[in-house]
Each structure stands twice: as structure tokens, then as C-alpha cells.
């Protein structure tokens, strides 16, 4: 089971991407981060780290932007996995 501050960030309509996101959040003095692994159904892992430094928006907006980037990485991984599986 997913625990901690990440547990609700990738649920809802994004949970059916065909990938799993395992990640750890970080925050210190206007620096937010999310680092982790995207694991696809095809078993290909992508490691990522997203760091936002010195932002002037709210913490919630920064977190939403970070999540959007992570979800795009997951979508790309899912689509590229489907493409490579269909080529073989």
C-alpha cells in the first residue's frame, strides 16, 4: 500500500495509465521535489527526479506542476512501451 504524502497524488483518473509511480517527495525553503520510478506493465523502469527551486507560486501550484510532469513521464513510458511491444 502507498503511504505518506504521495498516497493521494496519483489516484483518480490517472490510476489507469498502465504504469505505477513510486516516488518520494521533498521540501525545504521554496524547493520542492519528487523523485522516483515509473514502472510499466512491460517491466521497463524509468527513473526521474523533478526539482522546482525558488518558485513564486503557492506550494499547491508547485506541487500540481510537479505532478503534471511526473504524469507526462508516465504517459510517455506507457505509450512508448506499447509502441515497442507492437514493433517486436
Amino acid at each position: 500500500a502507498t503511504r505518506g504524502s504521495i498516497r493521494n497524488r496519483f489516484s483518480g483518473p490517472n490510476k489507469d495509465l498502465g504504469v505505477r509511480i513510486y516516488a518520494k517527495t521533498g521540501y525545504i525553503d521554496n524547493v520542492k521535489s519528487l523523485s522516483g520510478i515509473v514502472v510499466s506493465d512491460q517491466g521497463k523502469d524509468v527513473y526521474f527526479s523533478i526539482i522546482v527551486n525558488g518558485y513564486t507560486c503557492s506550494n499547491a501550484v508547485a506541487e500540481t506542476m510537479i505532478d503534471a510532469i511526473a504524469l507526462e513521464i508516465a504517459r510517455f513510458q506507457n505509450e512508448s512501451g506499447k509502441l515497442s511491444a507492437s514493433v517486436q
Side-chain angles (χ1 to χ4, degrees):
T2 306
R3 298 183 307 239
S5 60
I6 196 79
R7 79 176 160 265
N8 294 319
R9 286 175 65 171
F10 299 111
S11 60
N14 300 308
K15 68 181 177 181
D16 296 324
L17 284 173
V19 297
R20 291 175 302 284
I21 300 174
Y22 299 97
K24 176 71 178 116
T25 60
Y27 173 78
I28 186 170
D29 294 332
N30 276 17
V31 179
K32 286 186 91 56
S33 64
L34 182 69
S35 298
I37 307 168
V38 175
V39 179
S40 71
D41 288 343
Q42 292 82 22
K44 295 184 180 182
D45 299 347
V46 172
Y47 296 82
F48 68 90
S49 185
I50 304 162
I51 302 169
V52 180
N53 184 16
Y55 54 89
T56 57
C57 58
S58 69
N59 283 331
V61 169
E63 186 174 289
T64 299
M65 292 169 40
I66 289 170
D67 289 355
I69 294 167
L71 287 169
E72 283 304 312
I73 293 168
R75 283 187 189 99
F76 177 79
Q77 176 63 7
N78 188 36
E79 291 304 313
S80 66
K82 287 178 184 174
L83 291 173
S84 64
S86 66
V87 171
Q88 296 177 357

